[in-house]
Amino acid sequence: MEAKNLRVSRQRLKFSLERMAKIGATDGGGVHRLALSDEDKQARDLFLKWLKELDLTVRVDEMGNIFGKRKGRSPRLPIVLTGSHIDSQPQGGRFDGILGVMGALEVLRTIQENHIETERPVMIVNWTNEEGTRFPPAMAGSGVWTGTLNRDWVYRQADIQGKKLGGELARIGYKGRQPARKWPVHAYYELHIEQGPILEKEGKRIGVPRGILGLNWYDVDIEGKANQVGPTPMEGRNDALCAAAEMILKVNELPGRMGENLVATVGEIHNSPNSRNIIPGRVHFTVDIRSWDDDLSLRAWEELKRDFGRISKKRGCPTILAETWQVEHASFDESLVKRVGETAQRLGFSTHFMVSGAGHDASYVNQVAPAAMIFVPSIGGRSHVEVENTKWEDCEAGANVLLHCVLQSALEK
Ligand SMILES: [Zn+2]
């Protein structure tokens, strides 16, 4: 068959996704497949088995990133890379990440069964620990591979039980020998669910992100004075949770104050000792600020710092602020973005140019190679939750766009 008439198999893609969704399946219809857990290992084992059936050259690097390479006519030319991540959020969805890995697998299966010869090698990847929910930071596998994160520092990151990432990688048998170090990539494509409501609202099939919003993470620690709730008068209390409550609302009001071009969220909070009998003595919470405009994010944080300072003083609760993680906004490669849009239109799909509010492995890869993403609609805009869903025909559409983008790049001399 001529390359331009190739199409992926919806049935096979659906089967692969449904098979993967069984690993770590939750009662609510989602998956719980945290990075380097037993479920992650099981999914990786299955993925490896499928790669080997395709006769790919498989390697696992020291970060547990899994690569499978299909030969091209010119083995020395920089490769075309495509993939995403197998790990999930706690009680997360069946499409986030895994769609980009199973989509890439479907692309390789389609190319292979039609005996298509490409000029450049095509390689599939599963990046380790994209979610960063068990071991911060997120996108750890691609971050080390691109040289942005230090391998040994990442190895030392611990989960809530104190287990280290490096140890868990070895425990599940995926601490490979290959150095996790970038090599020349001609083009990187990542298929992903939108994780937002825009495509559905616009009635469009394929989202073409121009880039990814900048992301800023902060940690806030408030020190109050714990005491018995009955005998302690209201006056003179140093209630850390009340201080947190005021601060959290400031975070929520921030985008409105800054002119809407950013989003700001407190998603995690720990109250201590968390007893109905005790005035809260300590609170920890996180702040997440995202914008396409990096300066705006920083100005927003400065505003927040002033607010937090005022609240902390008023309530007599000393507060420590930490700047945990910063990633500047990233524009994807213009010619690849254009290709994604044109390819989708040629295949008969409606398209919508947008930006991605979520971080992806593509953000790191984009720093060292031309990269682009393909988005498909999330039903109800819901993601990172068990009800996360995408229509099979949209998964298929996204995989077909991925197929033809990969083919065009892989046929280039
Ligand atoms: Zn993802």
Side-chain angles (χ1 to χ4, degrees), residues 84-85 96-97 130-131 190 192 195 359-360 384:
S84 192
H85 60 96
D96 178 3
E130 192 276 344
E131 297 291 359
E190 184 168 346
H192 206 281
Q195 305 185 279
H360 294 289
H384 283 183

Side-chain angles (χ1 to χ4, degrees), residues 320-352:
I320 297 170
L321 305 177
E323 303 181 355
T324 313
W325 194 38
Q326 260 74 44
V327 184
E328 293 185 350
H329 90 272
S331 303
F332 288 136
D333 183 84
E334 259 177 56
S335 61
L336 292 194
V337 169
K338 199 165 150 239
R339 170 169 292 163
V340 170
E342 287 173 357
T343 304
Q345 277 156 16
R346 203 173 54 244
L347 292 170
F349 305 130
S350 53
T351 56
H352 183 69

Side-chain angles (χ1 to χ4, degrees), residues 326-392:
Q326 260 74 44
V327 184
E328 293 185 350
H329 90 272
S331 303
F332 288 136
D333 183 84
E334 259 177 56
S335 61
L336 292 194
V337 169
K338 199 165 150 239
R339 170 169 292 163
V340 170
E342 287 173 357
T343 304
Q345 277 156 16
R346 203 173 54 244
L347 292 170
F349 305 130
S350 53
T351 56
H352 183 69
F353 284 85
M354 55 198 301
V355 291
S356 168
H360 294 289
D361 292 305
S363 344
Y364 276 141
V365 179
N366 187 49
Q367 293 175 4
V368 300
M373 293 187 78
I374 299 158
F375 279 177
V376 288
S378 294
I379 296 175
R382 307 281 308 276
S383 179
H384 283 183
V385 287
E386 291 172 302
V387 298
E388 176 185 281
N389 205 354
T390 292
K391 290 182 195 153
W392 295 118

Side-chain angles (χ1 to χ4, degrees), residues 123-373:
M123 198 185 262
I124 183 172
V125 58
N126 164 47
W127 300 110
T128 294
N129 188 32
E130 192 276 344
E131 297 291 359
T133 175
R134 182 178 175 203
F135 303 98
M139 292 132 57
S142 54
V144 172
W145 186 82
T146 54
T148 318
L149 298 176
N150 175 274
R151 182 198 66 186
D152 294 329
W153 177 79
V154 170
Y155 277 171
R156 285 195 301 273
Q157 298 302 303
D159 67 7
I160 242 169
Q161 291 158 3
K163 288 185 183 148
K164 300 256 164 61
L165 184 147
E168 286 296 277
L169 202 49
R171 182 187 68 83
I172 66 163
Y174 278 88
K175 194 172 186 174
R177 290 219 183 88
Q178 299 272 346
R181 207 173 301 138
K182 66 179 179 211
W183 57 81
V185 171
H186 180 61
Y188 174 76
Y189 295 102
E190 184 168 346
L191 168 64
H192 206 281
I193 52 168
E194 179 199 349
Q195 305 185 279
I198 296 169
L199 289 176
E200 194 179 67
K201 215 171 80 201
E202 300 282 329
K204 298 289 164 71
R205 204 57 165 316
I206 298 290
V208 189
R210 296 180 192 280
I212 296 187
L213 299 186
L215 179 156
N216 303 268
W217 281 5
Y218 305 99
D219 279 84
V220 181
D221 282 284
I222 308 172
E223 190 77 44
K225 202 187 289 155
N227 213 341
Q228 238 285 16
V229 295
T232 313
M234 295 308 288
E235 208 188 312
R237 286 188 181 194
N238 306 115
D239 185 325
L241 188 57
C242 286
E246 282 196 61
M247 292 179 190
I248 290 167
L249 285 178
K250 287 291 174 201
V251 175
N252 185 249
E253 291 158 6
L254 190 65
R257 271 163 64 195
M258 304 299 293
E260 300 295 351
N261 276 323
L262 86 164
V263 287
T265 311
V266 173
E268 188 184 334
I269 181 166
H270 302 276
N271 176 49
S272 160
N274 211 29
S275 156
R276 72 172 76 208
N277 270 326
I278 305 171
I279 297 168
R282 241 180 314 122
V283 172
H284 168 88
F285 70 89
T286 59
V287 178
D288 176 307
I289 300 178
R290 299 181 192 203
S291 176
W292 186 250
D293 181 342
D294 298 318
D295 287 339
L296 182 71
S297 294
L298 295 180
R299 285 205 305 281
W301 176 239
E302 290 304 318
E303 291 269 326
L304 268 189
K305 279 206 290 199
R306 272 195 290 277
D307 290 335
F308 286 5
R310 204 172 29 74
I311 295 163
S312 143
K313 211 166 139 200
K314 185 180 82 185
R315 298 217 169 244
C317 296
T319 301
I320 297 170
L321 305 177
E323 303 181 355
T324 313
W325 194 38
Q326 260 74 44
V327 184
E328 293 185 350
H329 90 272
S331 303
F332 288 136
D333 183 84
E334 259 177 56
S335 61
L336 292 194
V337 169
K338 199 165 150 239
R339 170 169 292 163
V340 170
E342 287 173 357
T343 304
Q345 277 156 16
R346 203 173 54 244
L347 292 170
F349 305 130
S350 53
T351 56
H352 183 69
F353 284 85
M354 55 198 301
V355 291
S356 168
H360 294 289
D361 292 305
S363 344
Y364 276 141
V365 179
N366 187 49
Q367 293 175 4
V368 300
M373 293 187 78

Side-chain angles (χ1 to χ4, degrees), residues 89-117:
Q89 286 281 327
Q91 312 287 317
R94 294 171 297 145
F95 294 90
D96 178 3
I98 195 72
L99 173 64
V101 184
M102 293 302 102
L105 180 69
E106 181 54 37
V107 164
L108 278 165
R109 284 170 167 169
T110 306
I111 297 177
Q112 182 77 345
E113 74 191 352
N114 286 283
H115 313 288
I116 303 292
E117 266 196 39

